[in-house]
C-alpha cells in the first residue's frame, strides 16, 4: 500500500448545502491533484443503519481514488497535519493508498474548528486521536 503526502491549501469545514458534517482538504481549490473528504450525515435513520451508512464516509482522490463508509484505523490530528490510516480491508483500500499525511497551516481558531468538525464526524468511534505536535 502506498503512503501519500500532500499540502492542503484549500480546507472546507462546512457542507455548502448544509446536508452533513464535512471536512475537505485539497492541494488546490481548482485543478486539484489530491484531496480527502470526510463526512457524516446529521442524523441516521433505520434505512441508513440497515445499509451500513450510519457512520462516517471517507474518500480520497488524486492519481488513485477510493471511498466508502468506515474504513479508517485512525485519524491523528495535530496543529500542523492530519494523518489518516486506512484499514487494509476497508473500502478505501481499493485505491492502493494505505495511509496519508496532509499538512496545513491554520490559525488557532481554524484549527479548533477543524478539531470540532472531526469530533462530530468520528463521534462514536475511536478513530480520532488529537496530539499537541
Amino acid at each position: 500500500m502506498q503512503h501519500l503526502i500532500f499540502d492542503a491549501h484549500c480546507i472546507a469545514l462546512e457542507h455548502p448545502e448544509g446536508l452533513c458534517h464535512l471536512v475537505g482538504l485539497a492541494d488546490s481549490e481548482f485543478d486539484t491533484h489530491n484531496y480527502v473528504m470526510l463526512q457524516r450525515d446529521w442524523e441516521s435513520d433505520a434505512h441508513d443503519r440497515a445499509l451500513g451508512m450510519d457512520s462516517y464516509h471517507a474518500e480520497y482522490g488524486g492519481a488513485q481514488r477510493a471511498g466508502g463508509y468506515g474504513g479508517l484505523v485512525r485519524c491523528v490530528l495535530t496543529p500542523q497535519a492530519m494523518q489518516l490510516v486506512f484499514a487494509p480491508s476497508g473500502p478505501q483500500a481499493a485505491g492502493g493508498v494505505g495511509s496519508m499525511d496532509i499538512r496545513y497551516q491554520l490559525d488557532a481558531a481554524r484549527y479548533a474548528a477543524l478539531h470540532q468538525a472531526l469530533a462530530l464526524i468520528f463521534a462514536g468511534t475511536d478513530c480520532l486521536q488529537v496530539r499537541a505536535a
Side-chain angles (χ1 to χ4, degrees), residues 67-129:
Y69 287 91
L72 277 169
V73 174
R74 72 180 165 272
C75 171
V76 180
L77 180 68
T78 73
Q80 300 83 21
M82 178 169 47
Q83 180 187 63
L84 300 175
V85 178
F86 298 105
S89 61
Q92 298 82 8
V97 174
S99 60
M100 62 175 58
D101 290 332
I102 304 121
R103 301 176 296 212
Y104 44 74
Q105 294 182 350
L106 301 174
D107 62 28
R110 189 85 165 142
Y111 174 72
L114 174 61
H115 180 190
Q116 180 181 9
L118 289 171
L120 292 167
I121 289 169
F122 292 119
T125 74
D126 61 355
C127 287
L128 185 60
Q129 300 174 10

Side-chain angles (χ1 to χ4, degrees), residues 11-67:
I11 300 174
L13 299 177
E14 295 179 9
H15 190 279
E17 297 171 8
L19 299 176
C20 62
H21 302 289
L22 173 87
V23 169
L25 301 109
D27 57 5
S28 176
E29 184 174 0
F30 303 104
D31 298 323
T32 301
H33 296 284
N34 292 297
Y35 74 88
V36 65
M37 186 168 36
L38 305 166
Q39 61 186 28
R40 186 176 197 148
D41 286 341
W42 295 107
E43 295 180 19
S44 299
D45 59 21
H47 185 263
D48 293 335
R49 288 187 288 281
L51 295 174
M53 297 170 34
D54 59 336
S55 185
Y56 61 88
H57 186 273
E59 173 184 316
Y60 63 82
Q64 306 83 2
R65 182 183 171 123

